[in-house]
Amino acid sequence: MKKWMMPIVQTLFVMFLVVSFYAISLVGEEYVLRAEPFDPFDPFYGEYVMLQYPDLKAPAGVTQGDVYFTLKQGEDGFAVIDRMENEPFFGGIKGMYFDRVMAPQLEQFYVEQGVGPELEKARDLQATVYVAPWGSIRPTNLEIRETK
């Protein structure tokens, strides 16, 4: 193989990863999740907010362990679980279910320095995420939720 081929292949691979990350927002559906914060600071990564989602509840018949789920917009405008199964399916978001539903892609939300404590005090947050048709998630915004 030519010496100049490897840098080109590596560059194309990195470009593919970047484009696929932003493609989630372009082709994915936007959902707003009701969120609650806990544990706002990591000394190695800076400020972030660990989130949990009270509306992501497992339906009856789903066993604990790995789960795959899709979202839909609920009556109040916040996302809820549409379909959840223990077996993988196309478009399913991979998560875990024990005492609550957890999705590793949704658990940590990095914020600007100094914003974490303010968000932790608020307690009522909303997270805007994009979900691609193939099941990838891209969190884009975290803000204080207006309570009515």
Side-chain angles (χ1 to χ4, degrees):
M1 189 185 308
K2 305 275 186 196
K3 289 182 180 182
W4 52 269
M5 283 297 284
M6 190 51 113
I8 291 174
V9 169
Q10 290 174 335
T11 302
L12 290 174
F13 180 73
V14 170
M15 287 175 54
F16 171 77
L17 290 176
V18 170
V19 168
S20 67
F21 177 74
Y22 287 104
I24 295 170
S25 295
L26 294 174
V27 300
E29 289 190 49
E30 180 183 78
Y31 293 100
V32 178
L33 295 159
R34 196 180 336 257
E36 297 173 349
F38 63 100
D39 194 29
F41 186 77
D42 182 315
F44 300 108
Y45 294 110
E47 286 195 22
Y48 69 92
V49 178
M50 290 288 291
L51 299 173
Q52 56 189 5
Y53 302 92
D55 294 335
L56 298 185
K57 295 182 171 82
V62 176
T63 59
Q64 292 188 353
D66 289 342
V67 293
Y68 300 85
F69 62 94
T70 57
L71 299 172
K72 68 177 180 181
Q73 186 171 347
E75 294 176 11
D76 60 357
F78 292 101
V80 295
I81 291 180
D82 180 32
R83 173 182 172 195
M84 179 181 279
E85 297 179 11
N86 289 105
E87 297 299 319
F89 60 91
F90 184 75
I93 302 164
K94 186 176 190 308
M96 294 162 282
Y97 168 58
F98 293 103
D99 60 334
R100 62 185 177 95
V101 176
M102 300 174 283
Q105 309 95 314
L106 295 174
E107 297 292 315
Q108 291 183 351
F109 201 104
Y110 289 91
V111 296
E112 290 182 37
Q113 200 70 18
V115 177
E118 176 187 343
L119 292 173
E120 183 187 39
K121 288 177 190 169
R123 300 299 305 167
D124 292 325
L125 303 176
Q126 66 184 34
T128 304
V129 300
Y130 285 89
V131 179
W134 54 88
S136 294
I137 300 174
R138 180 176 179 226
T140 58
N141 192 23
L142 180 65
E143 60 193 4
I144 296 172
R145 180 175 26 135
E146 298 293 327
T147 54
K148 297 177 182 174

